[in-house]
Amino acid sequence: MNLRSSWVAETGQTREDTRLTQTGVTTLTNPVQVRSGVLPGSYEGLHRLAGFWTYGSSAMTATVSEGRAVIQGEISQGVYPVTLPTSETITFAPGDAQYGRIDLLVVKVYDNLYDSSNRNEVKIEIIQGIPGQTPQAPAVPPRSLPLYEVTVPAGVSAGNGGIPWNSALKDLRTPVVSLGGILPVEGPVLPGAYPGQYQDAGGALQRWDGGAWVSYPSVLGGIVPNSASTTPASYTGQYRDSADGRLQRWNGSVWVPVVPGPYFVDNGDYGDTTSTTYTPTLQARATNPLALSFVAPPSKAIVVSFGCRMKSTSPDHYAFMALKLTQGSTVVNDLDDEYATLAASKHLISASTTRRLSGLTPGATYTLTAYFRVVADTPALKAGFDNTFIKVDPLP
């Protein structure tokens, strides 16, 4: 029978039985195995992961700080708990004469039952890499916990300066916590073991939903904070505070502003027209027409303001500015004198109009285009326009 237990049989409990039935400091990867890693914590709570921290202490020697860890063997071997109660120094071999190499610093378990080493102990060891033009780190041996990759340049030794420790160390440590504990993420982000597992990912609390790590505000239905604005959306209708401080909503494909706009366009060039029918083109103006596109809000309604400084060459005739609303090639709201901005003056005067447009399709893009004309009975009369503008405010 393969079922194992601890502290049941009067005799015959093996080391393997004990390791397989431990339920203490473990972060699960499946129903039987756990993640190999270092227990988090530091003196005075200053750092997330201080165990087995390594630093250069002389030219070719490094110091490995005290710490606790677990190392998972094969599925039938169980997990090995290890402790380094005081720091330990290790010495690296001199560099190759021609090429650099990458050594691997590990905590290695020797278990004669599986490796025929005639040893039953745990050691901090250096797995020396092979020198080369593009050196690679050696493979991690069985029942070993990788701590650091150490780059050893060509020719270095104790007599010529040694290993450049500030740039040579690549931290490979990953943390583990007790079953149900919140895992502080250091190093690679690994998949969860069960829905409902939590981790602290750089200040954002996340929950494993069975397929991905989901930020905690998303699980609650709350607003994802600015500090986690790069977190992927979880569902249509989710809200977030974007990096530029605007509230956004996930529409199923992209993040869009909750309240789009406001939208604005203007033209400061003076232009005029002799046309008695509406035209989008003003003579002497470099850019025509004046047009503004906008996205209709969920309320289906907007407030439109438009105007300019305007005049006619006769105080008895009127200058008109009106707007046409289109969606693609479809005219939604045509030109209408009743809603135009108008003035009759030989001198430029400021005039504007504000109106509400409703019944729009939420999320659809519309365009407002300015048109101009003069009411005249003499062809020589003109209407002049300057500082023209269109502004759209979506209604909530």
Side-chain angles (χ1 to χ4, degrees):
M1 189 172 184
N2 290 325
L3 188 63
R4 304 296 185 96
S5 66
S6 293
W7 318 119
V8 173
E10 293 184 12
T11 60
Q13 178 172 322
T14 66
R15 293 172 297 155
E16 194 174 71
D17 291 332
T18 305
R19 291 193 304 268
L20 282 168
T21 53
Q22 289 184 97
T23 56
V25 183
T26 51
T27 297
L28 296 173
T29 58
N30 58 48
V32 178
Q33 292 179 290
V34 301
R35 185 186 303 181
S36 296
V38 179
L39 275 66
S42 63
Y43 296 107
E44 299 179 351
L46 296 177
H47 306 284
R48 291 157 70 96
L49 191 63
F52 296 95
W53 178 61
T54 300
Y55 59 93
S57 50
S58 67
M60 300 299 293
T61 300
T63 298
V64 181
S65 302
E66 59 272 24
R68 299 175 65 197
V70 291
I71 301 173
Q72 175 67 56
E74 297 297 328
I75 194 167
S76 62
Q77 297 171 8
V79 60
Y80 299 82
V82 298
T83 299
L84 179 65
T86 58
S87 61
E88 184 172 321
T89 58
I90 51 173
T91 301
F92 290 79
D96 180 75
Q98 185 175 5
Y99 298 115
R101 72 172 192 270
I102 298 176
D103 291 349
L104 189 65
L105 179 64
V106 302
V107 180
K108 180 174 174 56
V109 173
Y110 287 91
D111 190 336
N112 186 56
L113 185 61
Y114 308 112
D115 55 28
S116 300
S117 61
N118 292 321
R119 301 168 65 182
N120 290 298
E121 59 180 341
V122 60
K123 301 286 287 184
I124 294 178
E125 291 191 349
I126 299 168
I127 310 300
Q128 189 168 306
I130 299 174
Q133 290 183 334
T134 55
Q136 303 295 318
V140 179
R143 293 171 298 283
S144 297
L145 176 66
L147 299 177
Y148 286 84
E149 289 181 4
V150 181
T151 299
V152 181
V156 297
S157 66
N160 65 359
I163 296 172
W165 293 110
N166 288 338
S167 59
L169 291 168
K170 179 181 178 181
D171 195 348
L172 303 179
R173 297 171 302 156
T174 57
V176 292
V177 293
S178 59
L179 182 62
I182 296 175
L183 180 71
V185 176
E186 294 287 335
V189 177
L190 301 177
Y194 55 89
Q197 183 180 357
Y198 285 89
Q199 69 175 19
D200 179 6
L205 187 61
Q206 295 180 332
R207 178 184 182 275
W208 181 256
D209 69 357
W213 289 107
V214 180
S215 290
Y216 193 63
S218 308
V219 179
L220 292 179
I223 298 172
V224 178
N226 179 283
S227 60
S229 60
T230 58
T231 302
S234 301
Y235 55 87
T236 300
Q238 182 181 2
Y239 289 88
R240 75 171 184 182
D241 180 17
S242 67
D244 59 4
R246 292 190 300 166
L247 186 62
Q248 295 179 328
R249 178 182 182 274
W250 181 255
N251 68 4
S253 301
V254 295
W255 289 103
V256 296
V258 173
V259 179
Y263 303 88
F264 183 84
V265 67
D266 65 348
N267 190 323
D269 290 342
Y270 178 85
D272 54 33
T273 182
T274 60
S275 176
T276 57
T277 59
Y278 278 113
T279 175
T281 303
L282 293 177
Q283 299 172 14
R285 176 171 279 189
T287 304
N288 288 289
L290 179 70
L292 176 64
S293 294
F294 65 92
V295 177
S299 66
K300 307 179 183 180
I302 61 171
V303 172
V304 180
S305 300
F306 64 99
C308 61
R309 299 179 66 208
M310 58 200 313
K311 70 175 183 177
S312 64
T313 51
S314 168
D316 298 325
H317 298 86
Y318 287 87
F320 283 78
M321 176 184 178
L323 298 181
K324 179 185 288 188
L325 178 66
T326 57
Q327 184 184 7
S329 59
T330 302
V331 177
V332 178
N333 203 295
D334 210 347
L335 300 165
D336 191 334
D337 286 350
E338 185 175 352
Y339 299 107
T341 295
L342 65 148
S345 171
K346 291 182 64 176
H347 306 285
L348 285 169
I349 62 173
S350 296
S352 64
T353 297
T354 299
R355 63 173 300 198
R356 180 178 186 271
L357 295 176
S358 59
L360 306 177
T361 301
T365 299
Y366 293 84
T367 301
L368 286 165
T369 305
Y371 284 75
F372 310 90
R373 76 183 185 99
V374 62
V375 175
D377 56 9
T378 305
L381 289 177
K382 290 183 179 181
F385 305 87
D386 197 8
N387 296 342
T388 52
F389 76 91
I390 306 171
K391 183 174 184 287
V392 171
D393 289 292
L395 290 175

